[in-house]
Amino acid sequence: MKATRAEVCIAACSDAWRGSGEVLAHAVGTIPAISARLARLTHSPELVLSDGECHFLADALPLGATGTVEGWAPFGRIFDILATGRRHSMMGASQLDRFGNQNISLIGDWRRPKRQLIGMRGAPGNTVNHRTDYWVSRHSPRVFVDRVDVVSGVGNDRARAHPSPALRFHDLGVVVTDLAVLDYAADGRLKVRSLHPGVTADDVRAGTGFDLEFAGAAETRLPDERELELIRTVLDPAGARDREVRS
Amino acid sequence: MTLASVTEHVRSGMTVGVGGWGSRRKPMAMVRELLRSDVDDLTLVTFGGPEVGLLCAAGKVRRVIYGFVSLDSIPLDPHFRAAREAGRIEATEYDEGMFVAALRAGANRLSFLPTRAGLESDVMTMNPHLRTVASPYDDEVYVAVPAVRPDISLIHLNRSDPLGNGQFLGPDPYFDDLFAMASDKTLLSVEKIVSTAELTATERSTSLLVSRMFVNGVIETPRGAHFTSCDPDYGRDEEFQRHYAASAQDEESWQRFRETFLAGDEASYHEAVREFHGVYA
């Protein structure tokens, strides 16, 4: 059976953790959570996995399974850990602009939101303390907007405009969507790194509310046999991935 | 003390800290007591859950200072969302780490604590009172998160002794000890009051995180965190929480929810919950 779109996305997200070293993988969402476990079982055995609550897991197991615990980090510790920089986040985004400014807080005016979303959560602190990537399960012009209503996660333009060295740990990596992998050009703007198999540049253009650079865009790699086996038999036998990304 | 005496301590206009986290170990019995009272105009300080929704729906909230407001298995509390969208409440929305810094500053009796979190984000725009502070040692600039000191905090733990030495038995203490230290007064409700010796008869002393020094009153109120989780005593009542959230969708369902669950005392609340689950005493 050939790889599904969800499996291509998991492999692409897994690649995002490559080279992060011995840091805590903070993965929000089904595809990112599976991808961190896949990275741990393949190219990044040193990655630290969490159950999303207060335990670090000794083994990469299916979502929801705990197994052997290798550390205790209740919520109060998480803020100390992220301040050390030994963490790498892959968060969602309700809105993203061309410089990677992310909004998960609200839609409309903050004084009286048209739609209250989940709030700032940890996005301001994550983005100024350690590497942050984004996962967007539905690539659309509603997400990729010219201007986000509220900046929760700090983008490259703002980080670079900051006059003091306090933002020297700001580090936006990639944005993985159900259509493509995006990263940032030297000027801090999003560009297309690769299109998933079967996706055209026009598909991505139609889903993006601003101009994107496609020069040099490759095709996103397919997961290899071992990755497919791990995804299908070990990490996500119940197929939770297909509920987040339809093939 | 008794549940009824909560309102002798919590008065209108106060800044009230609420322990727990999202839909986890919230002092719901004490919150229900506030719902039965005429206390209003409250400023809540919280990693918010359904207590924010319930108090907003009852019109008792002026402002919420929060790291988030979530029901965990349901991303956002519907009453909180409605209150925000109708402009009925003022919001001080912080990054979660900033929220902790505000409490730590309050507990340390400092005017502020510095954080990197918040720099160049719209937390600064949405909270025009926030200032930055320049390091006296190098060129770095930080957000100066102002201290928050609640007039009173409400926290719920698994056990305590009659003196107010509190014990958490679940996997996470959340920030209940910090709330107690940052507040002028703290009321502790527990699943069960036991003798001091019994606290450590089978449990590690590291579970004794809240000292009587920071507790002004103890209330034994079994299932006092319902419908939030209180591990290991009980998990979240997901079915009831879904019912709570669904009832918030329109005025008529909410009226019915209030009449069924919130019109009587704590005992009748739990009886109505048992009936909801089809368990008849």
Side-chain angles (χ1 to χ4, degrees), chain B residues 6-53:
Chain B
V6 166
T7 50
E8 291 166 23
H9 298 273
V10 182
R11 304 203 184 282
S12 295
M14 276 188 168
T15 296
V16 181
V18 188
W21 195 90
S23 191
R24 305 177 197 198
R25 221 180 59 233
K26 284 284 170 177
M28 297 299 281
M30 290 197 277
V31 169
R32 284 187 285 270
E33 199 54 39
L34 295 183
L35 295 175
R36 293 174 196 117
S37 76
D38 57 5
V39 170
D40 65 2
D41 194 37
L42 299 174
T43 293
L44 301 179
V45 181
T46 181
F47 273 118
E51 85 283 11
V52 177

Side-chain angles (χ1 to χ4, degrees), chain B residues 5-275:
Chain B
S5 49
V6 166
T7 50
E8 291 166 23
H9 298 273
V10 182
R11 304 203 184 282
S12 295
M14 276 188 168
T15 296
V16 181
V18 188
W21 195 90
S23 191
R24 305 177 197 198
R25 221 180 59 233
K26 284 284 170 177
M28 297 299 281
M30 290 197 277
V31 169
R32 284 187 285 270
E33 199 54 39
L34 295 183
L35 295 175
R36 293 174 196 117
S37 76
D38 57 5
V39 170
D40 65 2
D41 194 37
L42 299 174
T43 293
L44 301 179
V45 181
T46 181
F47 273 118
E51 85 283 11
V52 177
L54 284 161
L55 291 165
C56 280
K60 295 184 177 298
V61 180
R62 179 162 60 95
R63 169 182 292 276
V64 189
I65 302 171
Y66 59 96
F68 60 75
V69 180
S70 170
L71 302 179
D72 286 307
S73 46
I74 298 169
L76 198 64
D77 181 282
H79 289 300
F80 168 72
R81 166 175 258 169
R84 271 293 273 147
E85 291 170 7
R88 285 198 306 269
I89 53 169
E90 295 165 43
T92 300
E93 181 173 300
Y94 283 168
D95 161 272
E96 295 169 30
M98 288 174 67
F99 179 86
V100 175
L103 274 184
R104 281 187 185 150
N108 296 351
R109 299 182 301 173
L110 293 167
S111 359
F112 73 90
L113 276 172
T115 65
R116 204 179 301 279
L119 287 172
E120 296 300 334
S121 81
D122 275 337
V123 170
M124 307 303 284
T125 318
M126 287 162 68
N127 297 285
H129 64 278
L130 290 173
R131 299 284 176 271
T132 55
V133 60
S135 163
Y137 301 105
D138 54 34
D139 298 334
E140 295 211 20
V141 169
Y142 307 115
V143 178
V145 183
V148 171
R149 268 201 76 84
D151 296 304
I152 190 164
S153 277
L154 311 177
I155 62 177
H156 184 81
L157 294 171
N158 304 87
R159 305 283 180 276
S160 82
D161 64 9
L163 302 169
N165 291 303
Q167 180 176 49
F168 80 100
L169 298 178
D172 196 320
Y174 310 120
F175 299 91
D176 292 3
D177 55 325
L178 192 58
F179 272 103
M181 293 165 98
S183 305
D184 293 344
K185 253 189 188 180
T186 296
L187 302 183
L188 165 65
S189 62
V190 293
E191 290 298 310
K192 196 171 177 205
I193 295 176
V194 299
S195 72
T196 307
E198 212 175 319
L199 289 171
T200 49
T202 55
E203 300 293 337
R204 289 170 55 161
S205 57
T206 48
S207 60
L208 297 173
L209 203 58
V210 175
S211 161
R212 60 187 169 85
M213 285 187 285
F214 303 104
V215 172
N216 301 79
V218 190
I219 304 163
E220 182 176 82
T221 175
R223 298 193 67 77
H226 182 273
F227 49 96
T228 69
S229 62
C230 187
D231 293 325
D233 291 314
Y234 46 89
R236 186 179 307 130
D237 187 342
E238 295 286 2
E239 195 188 347
F240 188 87
Q241 175 165 285
R242 279 195 299 274
H243 179 60
Y244 158 77
S247 301
Q249 298 311 328
D250 64 85
E251 192 47 50
E252 201 183 326
S253 334
W254 186 242
Q255 181 72 18
R256 229 182 358 258
F257 183 94
R258 281 211 322 262
E259 284 165 7
T260 309
F261 298 105
L262 303 174
D265 63 5
E266 188 66 7
S268 66
Y269 169 79
H270 290 293
E271 194 175 334
V273 171
R274 280 194 296 276
E275 282 185 22

Side-chain angles (χ1 to χ4, degrees), chain A residues 39-203:
Chain A
R40 165 70 178 269
L41 289 171
T42 54
H43 52 73
S44 296
E46 67 284 7
L47 205 59
V48 176
L49 300 177
S50 144
D51 63 358
E53 302 207 354
C54 60
H55 291 122
F56 296 158
L57 308 179
D59 307 298
L61 297 170
L63 300 189
T66 302
T68 304
V69 168
E70 69 168 351
W72 179 59
F75 290 110
R77 291 281 287 166
I78 294 297
F79 305 106
D80 296 329
I81 290 168
L82 79 85
T84 69
R86 305 278 174 94
R87 190 167 178 257
H88 174 171
S89 285
M90 187 178 287
M91 305 179 73
S94 302
Q95 292 180 325
L96 269 171
D97 74 11
R98 75 190 75 235
F99 287 104
N101 289 290
Q102 171 244 27
N103 173 19
I104 49 174
S105 175
L106 57 89
I107 300 296
D109 185 325
W110 59 269
R111 294 170 199 84
R112 186 171 170 180
K114 189 158 30 161
R115 192 90 175 121
Q116 173 71 45
L117 303 172
I118 61 173
M120 292 283 179
R121 300 282 326 213
N126 294 346
T127 49
V128 300
N129 275 292
H130 54 68
R131 161 89 180 256
T132 304
D133 297 328
Y134 295 113
W135 157 247
V136 175
S137 60
R138 197 159 302 176
H139 194 129
S140 88
R142 290 183 53 186
V143 176
F144 290 93
V145 294
D146 191 48
R147 204 190 153 86
V148 298
D149 292 16
V150 165
V151 174
S152 311
V154 176
N156 287 325
D157 54 343
R158 287 188 171 219
R160 290 173 189 195
H162 181 79
S164 97
L167 288 205
R168 66 194 182 281
F169 306 118
H170 180 265
D171 179 16
L172 298 184
V174 294
V175 180
V176 180
T177 79
D178 60 332
L179 300 182
V181 181
L182 314 176
D183 58 8
Y184 302 89
D187 65 0
R189 289 170 194 254
L190 278 173
K191 65 177 175 52
V192 180
R193 177 190 286 185
S194 69
L195 300 168
H196 299 337
V199 176
T200 68
D202 281 340
D203 295 335

